[in-house]
Structures are given as C-alpha cells and as structure tokens.
Amino acid sequence: MKGQDWYQADEVAEEYDDVRFSGGGQLIDRREKEAVLAALGPIDPGHRVLEVACGTGRFTTMLADQGADVVGLDVSREMLEQAREKVAAAGHADAVEFLRGDASRLPFPDDHFDTVVAMRFFHLMDDPVPFAKELRRVSRDQVFFDTFNSRSLRTLYTWLLPMGSRLYSERQVAAMLGDAGLTLANEEHDFVLPYGFYRELPGAVARPFRALDELAGDTVPGDYVASVSYWDARVPDEE
C-alpha cells in the first residue's frame, strides 16, 4: 500500500485535517460527507458500518451522529489516536470501535456489516482487487468508495504527492467491481478543479470557484474530466 509510513508519522496525523480541510478544503470535506450520506440514505439504529481507512475519524463521527454502529479501521496508530479523540469529543465513544489492521485481511466474518465505506483508500492500492474482494466479503449489502480519475487534471501533479496516487478509468473500476463480485448501483463524478487547487485558497475565495466548478460539472465535458468519482456498489442477491 502506498504511503503507509507517511500516514503513520505523528506530525502528519496531527496536521492532517487542518492541512486538507480548512479554508477552501472545507468544500471538499462537505462534498465528501454529502456523498457518503446520500449513498447510505436514512440510517436505521443499529446499522452496522465498517469504515476502512478511517483516518482521523471525519466520517466515523458523522456516521455515529446518524445512529450507525461503526467500526473504524486504519493501518496508522497515529491517525486512530486522532479519530478516538474526535469521536470522544462528539460523545460517541460507546457507538464506535476502532481497530488497527490490514484491510486485505479483515478480522470479521462474512456479511458482518450492512455497509462498508472506504474513502481516500483505493488511490493507495498497487493492486486494488484483493482489497475490493475483502470489502465485499464482510459486507452484507453495500460497499461505497471513491477514486481519483485518470482523465482528470490530477494526472498533471499526482507524481508530486508524498505517496503518489493510483488513478482509475471507469473501465478499470468496472473491472474491479466485477472481479470482486459487486454490482454498481450508482456513480457520481465531481471536482473539475482538483483538490489541491481548493486547499490553497481561503474559504471565501474558494466558494465562487466551487460554484463555477459545479456548473462545469453539470455538462458532459465537465463530467468527463471530473477528478473524483463516488461509487455505490452492492452485493448481489443470491438466487
């Protein structure tokens, strides 16, 4: 997995949210959370969610707010410490369990969760198929994840990132889902302007650009070159 050592540095974990989700990055945080909530829909009490690569607990806390029983798994002990503090501050310590572990060998039985969420995960994979199969194995119904797109502006700078990024075409995602035994229920594509652009701007400056970005994204060319995709995949019913 790309970037494993980088994510386990204390200073990276401590500064992760401030660097990525302050200022213009708040628009990214908001859109990602909207995508997750829209895919899961109304969450019934006791709905079991596994969040793979939970990081600092951004989505973990949000899902607990919605009434889900959440297990957050991450390879980084330092990221998990940040997540535990965030969840405890929100008053959800009893509804969330955190585990340090490897997503290629999940310590859960088949069909253990109603939903598996894996945000900011698949871009780190050299070979994503074994991981997709494992997420599908432990999910009874739904696997929701995002990818960065090979037809986007991200191709111009991904090699500059600390761990690089795997970029995907729609065909590659479809093949991965097929290999994992998942079917695609819905997909959305967003952010013509890449994430790095927004993070460099104050929130007040970033918002007009985001409005233009959304207008461009509603066009066929804009949708085609969007830098991020959200994929809602399902476990097929057994006949």
Side-chain angles (χ1 to χ4, degrees), residues 84-142:
R84 288 189 180 97
E85 292 178 9
K86 190 174 296 182
V87 164
H92 294 309
D94 292 339
V96 178
E97 178 184 1
F98 288 107
L99 295 175
R100 184 171 183 240
D102 183 351
S104 68
R105 296 184 297 273
L106 295 172
F108 308 107
D110 295 356
D111 306 327
H112 187 67
F113 296 95
D114 298 297
T115 298
V116 175
V117 174
M119 296 290 288
R120 303 294 188 95
F121 175 70
F122 278 103
H123 72 290
L124 301 174
M125 300 299 106
D126 292 316
D127 181 6
V129 172
F131 292 91
K133 288 181 176 179
E134 188 68 351
L135 303 192
R136 182 255 181 267
R137 180 185 68 79
V138 301
S139 177
R140 183 185 63 80
D141 179 48
Q142 182 181 34

Side-chain angles (χ1 to χ4, degrees), residues 36-157:
V36 172
L37 290 178
L40 270 63
I43 296 176
D44 295 327
H47 187 94
R48 291 180 297 179
V49 179
L50 171 64
E51 185 188 354
V52 171
C54 66
T56 61
R58 289 188 302 128
F59 302 105
T60 321
T61 306
M62 177 191 73
L63 292 168
D65 282 339
Q66 299 297 312
D69 291 337
V70 190
V71 175
L73 180 137
D74 202 283
V75 73
S76 168
R77 181 182 290 109
E78 292 72 19
M79 288 286 190
L80 288 173
E81 286 303 314
Q82 298 295 317
R84 288 189 180 97
E85 292 178 9
K86 190 174 296 182
V87 164
H92 294 309
D94 292 339
V96 178
E97 178 184 1
F98 288 107
L99 295 175
R100 184 171 183 240
D102 183 351
S104 68
R105 296 184 297 273
L106 295 172
F108 308 107
D110 295 356
D111 306 327
H112 187 67
F113 296 95
D114 298 297
T115 298
V116 175
V117 174
M119 296 290 288
R120 303 294 188 95
F121 175 70
F122 278 103
H123 72 290
L124 301 174
M125 300 299 106
D126 292 316
D127 181 6
V129 172
F131 292 91
K133 288 181 176 179
E134 188 68 351
L135 303 192
R136 182 255 181 267
R137 180 185 68 79
V138 301
S139 177
R140 183 185 63 80
D141 179 48
Q142 182 181 34
V143 177
F144 182 79
F145 63 99
D146 65 340
T147 59
F148 295 124
N149 298 331
S150 60
R151 63 196 182 202
S152 69
L153 292 174
R154 194 177 178 92
T155 58
L156 301 178
Y157 70 91

